[in-house]
mmCIF file of all heavy atoms in Angstrom:
data_model
loop_
_atom_site.group_PDB
_atom_site.id
_atom_site.type_symbol
_atom_site.label_atom_id
_atom_site.label_comp_id
_atom_site.label_asym_id
_atom_site.label_seq_id
_atom_site.Cartn_x
_atom_site.Cartn_y
_atom_site.Cartn_z
ATOM 1 N N VAL B 207 -97.438 -227.713 34.224
ATOM 2 C CA VAL B 207 -97.357 -228.383 32.928
ATOM 3 C C VAL B 207 -97.867 -229.806 33.111
ATOM 4 O O VAL B 207 -97.547 -230.484 34.089
ATOM 5 C CB VAL B 207 -95.911 -228.352 32.372
ATOM 6 C CG1 VAL B 207 -94.928 -229.011 33.310
ATOM 7 C CG2 VAL B 207 -95.848 -229.017 30.997
ATOM 8 N N ARG B 208 -98.728 -230.257 32.193
ATOM 9 C CA ARG B 208 -99.273 -231.625 32.279
ATOM 10 C C ARG B 208 -98.638 -232.492 31.213
ATOM 11 O O ARG B 208 -98.602 -232.136 30.034
ATOM 12 C CB ARG B 208 -100.793 -231.612 32.061
ATOM 13 C CG ARG B 208 -101.592 -231.130 33.237
ATOM 14 C CD ARG B 208 -103.063 -231.546 33.108
ATOM 15 N NE ARG B 208 -103.287 -232.916 33.540
ATOM 16 C CZ ARG B 208 -103.314 -233.308 34.816
ATOM 17 N NH1 ARG B 208 -103.108 -232.423 35.776
ATOM 18 N NH2 ARG B 208 -103.545 -234.562 35.135
ATOM 19 N N LEU B 209 -98.125 -233.633 31.632
ATOM 20 C CA LEU B 209 -97.536 -234.570 30.676
ATOM 21 C C LEU B 209 -98.342 -235.857 30.708
ATOM 22 O O LEU B 209 -98.706 -236.341 31.777
ATOM 23 C CB LEU B 209 -96.080 -234.878 31.035
ATOM 24 C CG LEU B 209 -95.120 -233.706 31.023
ATOM 25 C CD1 LEU B 209 -93.698 -234.184 31.305
ATOM 26 C CD2 LEU B 209 -95.163 -232.989 29.664
ATOM 27 N N LYS B 210 -98.599 -236.415 29.502
ATOM 28 C CA LYS B 210 -99.404 -237.632 29.439
ATOM 29 C C LYS B 210 -98.788 -238.581 28.418
ATOM 30 O O LYS B 210 -98.333 -238.160 27.351
ATOM 31 C CB LYS B 210 -100.833 -237.241 29.000
ATOM 32 C CG LYS B 210 -101.844 -238.342 29.162
ATOM 33 C CD LYS B 210 -103.232 -237.805 28.774
ATOM 34 C CE LYS B 210 -104.148 -238.963 28.421
ATOM 35 N NZ LYS B 210 -105.240 -238.522 27.572
ATOM 36 N N THR B 211 -98.725 -239.857 28.796
ATOM 37 C CA THR B 211 -98.195 -240.862 27.877
ATOM 38 C C THR B 211 -98.977 -240.829 26.571
ATOM 39 O O THR B 211 -100.203 -240.733 26.578
ATOM 40 C CB THR B 211 -98.340 -242.262 28.486
ATOM 41 O OG1 THR B 211 -97.815 -242.229 29.807
ATOM 42 C CG2 THR B 211 -97.609 -243.291 27.653
ATOM 43 N N ILE B 212 -98.235 -240.888 25.472
ATOM 44 C CA ILE B 212 -98.909 -240.870 24.185
ATOM 45 C C ILE B 212 -99.533 -242.229 23.923
ATOM 46 O O ILE B 212 -98.874 -243.266 24.038
ATOM 47 C CB ILE B 212 -97.907 -240.544 23.066
ATOM 48 C CG1 ILE B 212 -97.319 -239.150 23.300
ATOM 49 C CG2 ILE B 212 -98.567 -240.637 21.702
ATOM 50 C CD1 ILE B 212 -96.114 -238.858 22.475
ATOM 51 N N GLN B 213 -100.837 -242.223 23.610
ATOM 52 C CA GLN B 213 -101.516 -243.496 23.356
ATOM 53 C C GLN B 213 -102.006 -243.530 21.941
ATOM 54 O O GLN B 213 -102.948 -242.852 21.573
ATOM 55 C CB GLN B 213 -102.699 -243.669 24.313
ATOM 56 C CG GLN B 213 -102.254 -244.161 25.656
ATOM 57 C CD GLN B 213 -103.434 -244.453 26.530
ATOM 58 O OE1 GLN B 213 -104.238 -243.561 26.801
ATOM 59 N NE2 GLN B 213 -103.554 -245.695 26.953
ATOM 60 N N THR B 214 -101.350 -244.284 21.157
ATOM 61 C CA THR B 214 -101.808 -244.419 19.782
ATOM 62 C C THR B 214 -102.189 -245.856 19.573
ATOM 63 O O THR B 214 -101.521 -246.770 20.043
ATOM 64 C CB THR B 214 -100.696 -244.042 18.786
ATOM 65 O OG1 THR B 214 -99.504 -244.678 19.217
ATOM 66 C CG2 THR B 214 -100.517 -242.551 18.726
ATOM 67 N N GLU B 215 -103.322 -246.056 18.902
ATOM 68 C CA GLU B 215 -103.698 -247.428 18.568
ATOM 69 C C GLU B 215 -103.090 -247.747 17.224
ATOM 70 O O GLU B 215 -103.530 -247.288 16.182
ATOM 71 C CB GLU B 215 -105.228 -247.562 18.544
ATOM 72 C CG GLU B 215 -105.844 -247.474 19.925
ATOM 73 C CD GLU B 215 -105.247 -248.474 20.928
ATOM 74 O OE1 GLU B 215 -104.929 -249.625 20.523
ATOM 75 O OE2 GLU B 215 -105.061 -248.099 22.095
ATOM 76 N N LEU B 216 -102.049 -248.545 17.255
ATOM 77 C CA LEU B 216 -101.367 -248.875 16.013
ATOM 78 C C LEU B 216 -102.074 -250.033 15.336
ATOM 79 O O LEU B 216 -102.547 -250.949 15.992
ATOM 80 C CB LEU B 216 -99.919 -249.267 16.302
ATOM 81 C CG LEU B 216 -99.067 -248.192 16.968
ATOM 82 C CD1 LEU B 216 -97.703 -248.753 17.316
ATOM 83 C CD2 LEU B 216 -98.940 -246.980 16.064
ATOM 84 N N THR B 217 -102.155 -250.000 14.003
ATOM 85 C CA THR B 217 -102.682 -251.150 13.266
ATOM 86 C C THR B 217 -101.607 -252.223 13.284
ATOM 87 O O THR B 217 -100.427 -251.922 13.500
ATOM 88 C CB THR B 217 -102.977 -250.762 11.807
ATOM 89 O OG1 THR B 217 -101.735 -250.430 11.203
ATOM 90 C CG2 THR B 217 -103.931 -249.577 11.737
ATOM 91 N N PRO B 218 -102.011 -253.466 13.042
ATOM 92 C CA PRO B 218 -100.997 -254.542 13.030
ATOM 93 C C PRO B 218 -99.891 -254.247 12.019
ATOM 94 O O PRO B 218 -98.728 -254.496 12.277
ATOM 95 C CB PRO B 218 -101.796 -255.777 12.622
ATOM 96 C CG PRO B 218 -103.189 -255.451 13.034
ATOM 97 C CD PRO B 218 -103.364 -253.971 12.879
ATOM 98 N N GLU B 219 -100.269 -253.713 10.861
ATOM 99 C CA GLU B 219 -99.256 -253.420 9.861
ATOM 100 C C GLU B 219 -98.222 -252.444 10.408
ATOM 101 O O GLU B 219 -97.027 -252.588 10.206
ATOM 102 C CB GLU B 219 -99.875 -252.788 8.598
ATOM 103 C CG GLU B 219 -100.559 -253.777 7.687
ATOM 104 C CD GLU B 219 -102.061 -253.735 7.889
ATOM 105 O OE1 GLU B 219 -102.489 -253.552 9.054
ATOM 106 O OE2 GLU B 219 -102.784 -253.869 6.904
ATOM 107 N N GLN B 220 -98.728 -251.442 11.139
ATOM 108 C CA GLN B 220 -97.805 -250.441 11.666
ATOM 109 C C GLN B 220 -96.853 -251.036 12.691
ATOM 110 O O GLN B 220 -95.734 -250.583 12.859
ATOM 111 C CB GLN B 220 -98.582 -249.287 12.295
ATOM 112 C CG GLN B 220 -99.163 -248.357 11.247
ATOM 113 C CD GLN B 220 -100.131 -247.383 11.873
ATOM 114 O OE1 GLN B 220 -100.893 -247.735 12.765
ATOM 115 N NE2 GLN B 220 -100.091 -246.153 11.397
ATOM 116 N N GLN B 221 -97.363 -252.074 13.371
ATOM 117 C CA GLN B 221 -96.524 -252.650 14.407
ATOM 118 C C GLN B 221 -95.631 -253.768 13.917
ATOM 119 O O GLN B 221 -94.677 -254.141 14.583
ATOM 120 C CB GLN B 221 -97.419 -253.250 15.506
ATOM 121 C CG GLN B 221 -98.006 -252.227 16.396
ATOM 122 C CD GLN B 221 -98.730 -252.941 17.508
ATOM 123 O OE1 GLN B 221 -98.120 -253.422 18.445
ATOM 124 N NE2 GLN B 221 -100.035 -253.028 17.383
ATOM 125 N N ALA B 222 -95.987 -254.293 12.753
ATOM 126 C CA ALA B 222 -95.272 -255.484 12.290
ATOM 127 C C ALA B 222 -93.818 -255.144 11.994
ATOM 128 O O ALA B 222 -93.509 -254.050 11.561
ATOM 129 C CB ALA B 222 -95.941 -256.023 11.028
ATOM 130 N N PRO B 223 -92.941 -256.098 12.239
ATOM 131 C CA PRO B 223 -91.542 -255.874 11.899
ATOM 132 C C PRO B 223 -91.385 -255.707 10.397
ATOM 133 O O PRO B 223 -92.224 -256.213 9.634
ATOM 134 C CB PRO B 223 -90.841 -257.147 12.390
ATOM 135 C CG PRO B 223 -91.888 -258.068 12.838
ATOM 136 C CD PRO B 223 -93.209 -257.377 12.874
ATOM 137 N N PRO B 224 -90.342 -255.026 9.955
ATOM 138 C CA PRO B 224 -90.190 -254.647 8.548
ATOM 139 C C PRO B 224 -90.337 -255.809 7.581
ATOM 140 O O PRO B 224 -90.968 -255.667 6.542
ATOM 141 C CB PRO B 224 -88.763 -254.089 8.501
ATOM 142 C CG PRO B 224 -88.472 -253.661 9.897
ATOM 143 C CD PRO B 224 -89.271 -254.536 10.811
ATOM 144 N N MET B 225 -89.792 -256.967 7.921
ATOM 145 C CA MET B 225 -89.808 -258.060 6.941
ATOM 146 C C MET B 225 -91.189 -258.672 6.781
ATOM 147 O O MET B 225 -91.438 -259.379 5.818
ATOM 148 C CB MET B 225 -88.757 -259.132 7.262
ATOM 149 C CG MET B 225 -88.762 -259.641 8.678
ATOM 150 S SD MET B 225 -88.007 -258.420 9.779
ATOM 151 C CE MET B 225 -86.465 -258.181 8.927
ATOM 152 N N LEU B 226 -92.089 -258.370 7.700
ATOM 153 C CA LEU B 226 -93.455 -258.881 7.547
ATOM 154 C C LEU B 226 -94.330 -257.912 6.764
ATOM 155 O O LEU B 226 -95.375 -258.283 6.258
ATOM 156 C CB LEU B 226 -94.085 -259.141 8.928
ATOM 157 C CG LEU B 226 -93.524 -260.344 9.681
ATOM 158 C CD1 LEU B 226 -94.286 -260.539 10.986
ATOM 159 C CD2 LEU B 226 -93.592 -261.608 8.830
ATOM 160 N N GLN B 227 -93.874 -256.674 6.649
ATOM 161 C CA GLN B 227 -94.706 -255.650 6.017
ATOM 162 C C GLN B 227 -95.019 -255.984 4.567
ATOM 163 O O GLN B 227 -96.144 -255.818 4.103
ATOM 164 C CB GLN B 227 -93.995 -254.303 6.099
ATOM 165 C CG GLN B 227 -93.598 -253.919 7.506
ATOM 166 C CD GLN B 227 -94.340 -252.730 8.038
ATOM 167 O OE1 GLN B 227 -94.778 -251.893 7.281
ATOM 168 N NE2 GLN B 227 -94.508 -252.656 9.334
ATOM 169 N N ASP B 228 -94.013 -256.491 3.852
ATOM 170 C CA ASP B 228 -94.233 -256.844 2.454
ATOM 171 C C ASP B 228 -95.309 -257.912 2.331
ATOM 172 O O ASP B 228 -96.198 -257.835 1.491
ATOM 173 C CB ASP B 228 -92.934 -257.372 1.840
ATOM 174 C CG ASP B 228 -92.024 -256.215 1.481
ATOM 175 O OD1 ASP B 228 -92.535 -255.069 1.447
ATOM 176 O OD2 ASP B 228 -90.826 -256.457 1.250
ATOM 177 N N MET B 229 -95.202 -258.873 3.210
ATOM 178 C CA MET B 229 -96.147 -259.974 3.185
ATOM 179 C C MET B 229 -97.566 -259.468 3.449
ATOM 180 O O MET B 229 -98.505 -259.824 2.753
ATOM 181 C CB MET B 229 -95.733 -260.993 4.250
ATOM 182 C CG MET B 229 -96.408 -262.320 4.132
ATOM 183 S SD MET B 229 -96.130 -263.239 5.652
ATOM 184 C CE MET B 229 -97.519 -262.714 6.609
ATOM 185 N N LEU B 230 -97.715 -258.583 4.418
ATOM 186 C CA LEU B 230 -99.031 -258.059 4.768
ATOM 187 C C LEU B 230 -99.666 -257.328 3.588
ATOM 188 O O LEU B 230 -100.870 -257.405 3.362
ATOM 189 C CB LEU B 230 -98.913 -257.094 5.960
ATOM 190 C CG LEU B 230 -98.614 -257.772 7.295
ATOM 191 C CD1 LEU B 230 -98.292 -256.733 8.359
ATOM 192 C CD2 LEU B 230 -99.799 -258.625 7.728
ATOM 193 N N ARG B 231 -98.812 -256.654 2.818
ATOM 194 C CA ARG B 231 -99.317 -255.876 1.697
ATOM 195 C C ARG B 231 -99.942 -256.782 0.641
ATOM 196 O O ARG B 231 -100.880 -256.420 -0.039
ATOM 197 C CB ARG B 231 -98.163 -255.058 1.111
ATOM 198 C CG ARG B 231 -98.597 -253.823 0.371
ATOM 199 C CD ARG B 231 -97.390 -252.970 0.039
ATOM 200 N NE ARG B 231 -96.675 -252.522 1.231
ATOM 201 C CZ ARG B 231 -95.354 -252.596 1.386
ATOM 202 N NH1 ARG B 231 -94.602 -253.103 0.447
ATOM 203 N NH2 ARG B 231 -94.800 -252.158 2.490
ATOM 204 N N ASP B 232 -99.409 -257.990 0.478
ATOM 205 C CA ASP B 232 -99.856 -258.878 -0.588
ATOM 206 C C ASP B 232 -101.049 -259.757 -0.193
ATOM 207 O O ASP B 232 -101.507 -260.584 -0.965
ATOM 208 C CB ASP B 232 -98.704 -259.792 -1.024
ATOM 209 C CG ASP B 232 -97.582 -258.964 -1.628
ATOM 210 O OD1 ASP B 232 -97.889 -257.841 -2.108
ATOM 211 O OD2 ASP B 232 -96.427 -259.421 -1.622
ATOM 212 N N LEU B 233 -101.554 -259.571 1.012
ATOM 213 C CA LEU B 233 -102.634 -260.451 1.473
ATOM 214 C C LEU B 233 -103.960 -260.106 0.802
ATOM 215 O O LEU B 233 -104.200 -258.972 0.403
ATOM 216 C CB LEU B 233 -102.806 -260.317 2.990
ATOM 217 C CG LEU B 233 -101.622 -260.766 3.847
ATOM 218 C CD1 LEU B 233 -101.947 -260.540 5.321
ATOM 219 C CD2 LEU B 233 -101.301 -262.231 3.582
ATOM 220 N N THR B 234 -104.826 -261.122 0.685
ATOM 221 C CA THR B 234 -106.185 -260.872 0.217
ATOM 222 C C THR B 234 -106.959 -260.259 1.383
ATOM 223 O O THR B 234 -106.481 -260.249 2.528
ATOM 224 C CB THR B 234 -106.879 -262.183 -0.206
ATOM 225 O OG1 THR B 234 -106.999 -262.988 0.979
ATOM 226 C CG2 THR B 234 -106.068 -262.928 -1.248
#
Side-chain angles (χ1 to χ4, degrees):
Chain B
V207 59
R208 284 197 82 75
L209 298 184
K210 192 177 159 203
T211 310
I212 298 166
Q213 279 186 301
T214 46
E215 290 306 323
L216 300 175
T217 64
E219 282 101 323
Q220 283 169 321
Q221 283 186 78
M225 50 284 307
L226 288 183
Q227 306 247 333
D228 281 345
M229 194 194 89
L230 288 171
R231 204 170 299 133
D232 296 336
L233 296 179
T234 64

